[in-house]
Amino acid sequence: MTKKIVLLAAMAAVAVSALKAQNTYTPTAENLESRKEFADMRFGIFLHWGLYSTFAQGEWYMQNAGITFEEYSKAATGFYPSRFNAREWVAAIKASGAGYITITTRHHEGFSMWATKQWDYNIVDATPFKRDIIGELAEECHRQGIRLHLYYSHLDWAREDYPMGRTGTRCGKDPKKADWPKYYRFMNAQLTELLTNYGKIGAIWFDGWWDHDSDPTPFDWQLDEQYALIHRLQPACLVGNNHHMSPNPGEDIQIFERDLPGENKAGFVDQAAEISRLPLETCETMNGMWGYKVQDQNYKTTKQLIHYLVNTAGKGANLLMNIGPQPNGELPATAVQRLKEMGEWMQVYGSTIRATKAGDVPVQEWGATTRRDDKLYVHILNYDRRELYLPLQCKVVKAATFADGKRVGVTKTAEGVVLTLPEVPNGYDYVVELQTK
């Protein structure tokens, strides 16, 4: 009898494995169109904002300081971002040339930034502010014509029904109270709210899978069912997961944290991960932190930000640049200034970034290339000579500087072309437009 039970169990395991292997995802026509629109935007702004901004120590403060939920949650009674103005936020971001906003609806601390009915630990029920941040931002994004994407944390340091992973171990939770089925229902109910009550959502941006990446046995996040729920509620809504691996079935974009696709300078990417043919997105911070940290004034210069945007586009990816709003509801003044300066640059050169793909020449020390149809844009970022060699196989019909149309000389060689520039490259980005055939 025992052998029979073991055999049946093994057969069941094989059947489940086979079922998962056969589980393929076929995106709808709306979803495919949404992917194209997402890739064409090339530039978005990330907003890490939650209860953690109150402490002004970054979004991981609860974990890093080892504060229990009982003590940490008391901050909600004093969270009153009186200067939050969704119209001003969206206007400043749109003026930067960004096409979409991704905001943290619920980070690892477990606090929800909308009027969720699933738990009263949210900005409407637990704070004196009593305003639905996600609702106001969604309304303004729809009004001003900018896409809204929603970040959602898979892990939770506050709820005891979330099975303990490798983080949140000092936050006062009792691991014995873990109840995955209950927590999974909670997450899906929240996602249903977000995709039902706030109009068209461009993407759901998951984070936290890595919390169980060192478990003795693989943790089943039940992603298939969750992704199916999202696509059922809004077929055009894209799904991304910041798990640092090759994409899973049901994911519509591939995310790279603090790295360009194909690089692993930050050390997050799984060595077996491959760059997929899905739309790609790189997320990076404008200063050092994701959430607001009062000591962190190490903002990247406008030149550095533009170079990062250009190199990301040169890899055929989007740049999602992060800002951590202040506890009073304002975007930091330095961040707003950077948005303004990037917007001024995008007004001139945005067409060499948006709706382009990776150019014929891979990203180099001197810069990057982007392409749209028969136009190849050569972005010269770091170069101090007038002659630039490009290993091109296509024929160059015409070459001129993008900003002012100055003639650029083209000399054909056995392996490519040499551009002779009218002057030594200067400014943030010296762009040459090549008409190719």
Side-chain angles (χ1 to χ4, degrees):
M1 184 67 178
T2 303
K3 290 183 178 179
K4 185 176 180 180
I5 293 175
V6 171
L7 178 61
L8 289 173
M11 291 173 64
V14 170
V16 170
S17 177
L19 183 61
K20 287 187 175 181
Q22 293 172 5
N23 178 29
T24 57
Y25 163 57
T26 303
T28 62
E30 304 102 299
N31 187 279
L32 293 174
E33 178 61 26
S34 188
R35 292 184 188 187
K36 181 181 182 304
E37 292 172 354
F38 168 77
D40 283 349
M41 288 185 281
R42 281 290 177 255
F43 181 36
I45 293 297
F46 214 169
L47 298 171
H48 269 70
W49 199 34
L51 188 58
Y52 44 84
S53 69
T54 304
F55 301 97
Q57 294 299 314
E59 76 289 351
W60 274 59
Y61 182 61
M62 183 179 181
Q63 149 78 13
N64 292 343
I67 304 174
T68 65
F69 170 66
E70 181 181 3
E71 291 300 317
Y72 187 91
S73 60
K74 293 176 182 177
T77 61
F79 188 32
Y80 196 87
S82 59
R83 296 190 179 181
F84 169 69
N85 186 311
R87 179 169 295 188
E88 291 179 359
W89 277 26
V90 176
I93 291 170
K94 185 176 181 180
S96 75
Y100 61 102
I101 294 171
T102 302
I103 186 170
T104 51
T105 63
R106 187 181 78 105
H107 206 266
H108 312 327
E109 64 175 6
F111 184 79
S112 297
M113 295 292 281
W114 79 96
T116 179
K117 290 181 170 56
Q118 310 311 316
W119 196 20
D120 60 7
Y121 191 46
N122 66 73
I123 195 165
V124 174
D125 296 320
T127 79
F129 193 57
K130 302 203 176 299
R131 284 165 54 187
D132 188 328
I133 292 294
I134 301 302
E136 292 183 27
L137 194 62
E139 182 178 350
E140 198 57 39
C141 282
H142 299 324
R143 192 184 74 82
Q144 295 194 37
I146 190 169
R147 287 288 179 88
L148 179 63
H149 297 185
L150 303 178
Y151 168 110
Y152 189 87
S153 174
H154 268 136
L155 72 90
D156 194 306
W157 297 328
R159 291 183 64 92
E160 292 196 303
D161 51 4
Y162 170 71
M164 186 77 75
R166 60 178 170 87
T167 67
T169 56
R170 298 188 296 153
C171 297
K173 297 202 303 181
D174 182 356
K176 296 179 181 178
K177 294 184 178 180
D179 186 343
W180 169 252
K182 179 182 177 183
Y183 181 72
Y184 187 68
R185 289 193 298 271
F186 161 77
M187 286 197 299
N188 288 342
Q190 284 206 317
L191 289 166
T192 299
E193 289 178 341
L194 292 171
L195 291 166
T196 303
N197 301 332
Y198 299 103
K200 184 177 181 179
I201 301 301
I204 296 294
W205 206 101
F206 285 114
D207 192 18
W209 177 96
W210 36 262
D211 195 43
H212 283 277
D213 61 7
S214 58
D215 286 11
T217 56
F219 187 84
D220 185 4
W221 288 98
Q222 295 179 254
L223 296 178
D224 292 343
E225 300 96 313
Q226 197 166 67
Y227 292 172
L229 169 68
I230 294 167
H231 290 134
R232 185 166 63 252
L233 291 171
Q234 292 201 28
C237 182
L238 305 178
V239 173
N241 197 323
N242 188 37
H243 47 48
H244 312 139
M245 305 185 309
S246 299
N248 295 307
E251 293 170 9
D252 304 296
I253 61 176
Q254 185 175 5
I255 297 167
F256 300 85
E257 182 177 355
R258 291 188 184 272
D259 263 314
L260 298 181
E263 298 181 358
N264 192 22
K265 296 176 182 178
F268 294 134
V269 180
D270 186 291
Q271 295 303 307
E274 298 179 352
I275 300 176
S276 72
R277 299 184 67 179
L278 296 174
L280 311 176
E281 180 186 72
T282 286
C283 58
E284 179 57 284
T285 55
M286 190 175 281
N287 48 359
M289 298 291 294
W290 298 101
Y292 180 71
K293 185 175 183 179
V294 67
Q295 302 103 312
D296 182 14
Q297 298 302 313
N298 187 30
Y299 282 87
K300 296 173 180 64
T301 65
T302 302
K303 181 178 181 178
Q304 287 175 314
L305 295 175
I306 289 172
H307 283 199
Y308 211 93
L309 174 60
V310 170
N311 284 325
T312 305
K315 290 273 190 175
N318 287 19
L319 174 62
L320 182 62
M321 181 58 65
N322 181 77
I323 297 172
Q326 299 170 167
N328 67 355
E330 291 181 314
L331 301 178
T334 304
V336 173
Q337 182 64 25
R338 295 291 188 275
L339 291 176
K340 178 177 180 294
E341 291 165 354
M342 290 188 77
E344 291 169 350
W345 182 87
M346 286 288 282
Q347 284 183 350
V348 178
Y349 296 102
S351 62
T352 70
I353 299 295
R354 299 190 196 93
T356 64
K357 61 182 182 180
D360 303 35
V361 181
V363 174
Q364 305 288 321
E365 287 293 327
W366 54 259
T369 61
T370 57
R371 174 178 281 280
R372 183 190 304 106
D373 301 325
D374 59 356
K375 299 286 181 63
L376 182 66
Y377 302 105
V378 182
H379 296 264
I380 306 173
L381 306 177
N382 302 293
Y383 203 65
D384 59 3
R385 285 170 286 171
R386 287 185 57 194
E387 290 191 338
L388 177 66
Y389 166 72
L390 300 176
L392 293 178
Q393 299 304 311
C394 59
K395 181 179 180 181
V396 178
V397 178
K398 181 182 177 182
T401 56
F402 182 82
D404 49 19
K406 291 180 182 177
R407 180 181 176 277
V408 173
V410 180
T411 304
K412 177 67 177 169
T413 70
E415 298 178 346
V417 300
V418 174
L419 303 183
T420 301
L421 310 173
E423 65 262 318
V424 174
N426 56 73
Y428 294 152
D429 179 12
Y430 191 92
V431 184
V432 174
E433 179 182 288
L434 304 183
Q435 178 82 38
T436 64
K437 184 176 180 181

